[in-house]
Amino acid sequence: MFCVTPPELETKMNITKGGLVLFSANSNSSCMELSKKIAERLGVEMGKVQVYQEPNRETRIQIQESVRGKDVFIIQTVSKDVNTTIMELLIMVYACKTSCAKSIIGVIPYFPYSKQCKMRKRGSIVSKLLASMMCKAGLTHLITMDLHQKEIQGFFNIPVDNLRASPFLLQYIQEEIPDYRNAVIVAKSPASAKRAQSFAERLRLGIAVIHGEAQDAESDLVDGRHSPPMVRSVAAIHPSLEIPMLIPKEKPPITVVGDVGGRIAIIVDDIIDDVDSFLAAAETLKERGAYKIFVMATHGLLSSDAPRLIEESAIDEVVVTNTIPHEIQKLQCPKIKTVDISMILSEAIRRIHNGESMSYLFRNIGLDD
């Protein structure tokens, strides 16, 4: 486990005022490791609570100590059963609210459903729904990390602190990748170019962007939205109205903008779940002459058979943080490495509880970061 602890934070970490209660809302024991690390850094005991599933799969929570007038921090890491994880959090938040807690702060390192933050056809913006549910349940503050889209903060009507994992990943690159000065930061699609640019500028390295790898756009021809019909008729379209058609997208051939020949390629992104796009990017980089390939991401969901695919791929190492537990995946694939981010979460908790400024944790973070 890789961890960075600046001395200026190490000296403050165990200084907290009274009235702080730390809960883990997970019924899955494998998801409690991060909570234990945070509690250890803060020098407090985990709050006493029972979280379990009834035989009919209903979630039941019993808080076993007083939270009246206290600052309650609920740490919830996302398990494979995402919907159960959400219900555990909502029920615990509501239980603390009805038990007269002074404030209820959710510590959710990976915000679930964050990819569903835009309207697609007749779908829904699920992250907005989830934000509304959390606020309605009684959450008064949210601490999270590297939201998939920063605009998700606007879905909440409570303060949101969107912490960054990039300092830890940058430190890993500098200390654990030999000859990183011969590296190039790669965006596997134009959508992640801003993140790659941020890493490249901080490490004083070059940047490369893979273009043409993007997923095929979903067809609009089969979802019924060509009603009224496209055929011009008096009944369907006003005779004087001609709506111009949008030219359909055509996937271009894969190209790499930037030189990766004879270099170490470091692909950066916020989430690694379905690894197909990362594997395709790695193959493209190998063909262009990259001799080592690293993947750096904040949230390692690594669903399905991702560990096996990574192990069999051209990728040399996948580095993720412990926002999501992935010990089983690491046993299946030795290429997966973990960076510990419990230090920044525990410092955020300490500062919020003591009423201190959070700006120290956001220093040198620009508008595009």
Side-chain angles (χ1 to χ4, degrees):
M1 188 75 70
F2 185 84
C3 178
V4 185
T5 309
E8 61 268 27
L9 291 188
E10 186 69 37
T11 56
K12 297 179 181 178
M13 193 61 68
N14 291 328
I15 305 173
T16 56
K17 299 176 183 177
L20 178 148
V21 181
L22 205 63
F23 285 133
S24 175
N26 284 111
S27 58
N28 189 338
S29 58
S30 66
C31 297
M32 295 182 64
E33 290 303 316
L34 182 60
S35 303
K36 292 175 182 177
K37 288 179 181 292
I38 292 172
E40 184 179 347
R41 287 185 176 277
L42 288 169
V44 300
E45 297 289 332
M46 290 297 299
K48 297 180 178 64
V49 62
Q50 278 190 334
V51 184
Y52 57 94
Q53 306 296 318
E54 296 278 16
N56 64 356
R57 301 299 297 163
E58 287 185 0
T59 298
R60 185 174 291 275
I61 288 177
Q62 294 288 340
I63 297 174
Q64 298 176 320
E65 64 179 84
S66 175
V67 296
R68 183 179 294 273
K70 296 182 179 180
D71 292 331
V72 177
F73 291 83
I74 301 174
I75 304 169
Q76 184 69 322
T77 50
V78 176
S79 67
K80 292 299 180 186
D81 190 350
V82 179
N83 296 329
T84 297
T85 299
I86 292 169
M87 284 307 300
E88 289 171 346
L89 175 66
L90 294 175
I91 294 172
M92 182 170 283
V93 169
Y94 190 65
C96 292
K97 177 183 178 182
T98 54
S99 298
C100 301
K102 176 185 174 184
S103 60
I104 306 166
I105 300 93
V107 183
I108 311 172
Y110 169 67
F111 188 74
Y113 286 97
S114 59
K115 285 189 174 182
Q116 298 188 48
C117 60
K118 295 179 181 179
M119 178 66 78
R120 290 183 64 81
K121 298 184 181 178
R122 293 189 181 90
S124 61
I125 306 176
V126 183
S127 52
K128 166 60 177 173
L129 170 64
L130 188 53
S132 301
M133 290 166 65
M134 289 181 180
C135 294
K136 189 68 175 177
L139 208 64
T140 60
H141 198 137
L142 175 66
I143 302 171
T144 187
M145 180 165 280
D146 281 341
L147 287 169
H148 186 57
Q149 297 289 340
K150 294 189 292 293
E151 292 77 11
I152 292 175
Q153 296 173 84
F155 295 160
F156 292 85
N157 55 15
I158 58 173
V160 177
D161 287 309
N162 182 28
L163 302 175
R164 305 298 197 276
S166 52
F168 299 89
L169 298 175
L170 291 167
Q171 187 81 15
Y172 185 95
I173 292 172
Q174 292 174 317
E175 296 188 358
E176 301 296 322
I177 299 181
D179 196 23
Y180 82 92
R181 287 292 180 190
N182 187 37
V184 59
I185 305 299
V186 179
K188 68 180 180 66
S189 69
S192 55
K194 280 188 177 180
R195 178 179 293 269
Q197 180 183 357
S198 174
F199 273 67
E201 289 176 352
R202 283 169 167 76
L203 293 168
R204 300 347 183 225
L205 298 176
I207 184 174
V209 180
I210 299 175
H211 181 52
E213 160 280 337
Q215 296 177 358
D216 294 321
E218 294 181 21
S219 175
D220 289 339
L221 299 176
V222 295
D223 74 344
R225 289 195 299 176
H226 286 142
S227 178
M230 295 173 59
V231 180
R232 269 185 81 179
S233 67
V234 177
I237 301 176
H238 193 278
S240 63
L241 181 64
E242 287 194 24
I243 302 175
M245 291 291 294
L246 186 64
I247 300 171
K249 291 182 180 179
E250 183 177 337
K251 189 175 180 180
I254 293 178
T255 57
V256 179
V257 182
D259 181 24
V260 297
R263 312 282 287 277
I264 300 171
I266 303 175
I267 305 172
V268 297
D269 214 334
D270 62 329
I271 299 172
I272 177 167
D273 186 6
D274 179 12
V275 297
D276 289 345
S277 60
F278 290 92
L279 302 184
E283 288 296 332
T284 301
L285 294 170
K286 276 288 185 183
E287 292 171 3
R288 300 301 194 279
Y291 73 91
K292 259 192 177 180
I293 299 171
F294 291 80
V295 174
M296 315 284 291
T298 303
H299 309 296
L301 276 70
L302 301 169
S303 302
S304 189
D305 56 351
R308 179 184 61 81
L309 294 173
I310 292 170
E311 185 65 24
E312 297 171 356
S313 73
I315 297 172
D316 293 280
E317 195 169 283
V318 173
V319 183
V320 293
T321 72
N322 57 344
T323 55
I324 297 171
H326 48 260
E327 293 305 315
I328 295 175
Q329 289 90 330
K330 287 176 70 175
L331 293 174
Q332 297 171 339
C333 178
K335 291 182 180 180
I336 300 171
K337 309 296 180 184
T338 307
V339 174
D340 180 24
I341 45 80
S342 62
M343 184 268 290
I344 193 170
L345 294 174
S346 53
E347 178 63 10
I349 291 171
R350 189 194 68 80
R351 285 175 177 267
I352 290 172
H353 175 60
N354 292 343
E356 299 177 20
S357 171
M358 294 286 286
S359 60
Y360 179 82
L361 303 180
F362 293 95
R363 64 199 187 284
N364 298 328
I365 293 177
L367 199 61
D368 293 332
D369 291 331

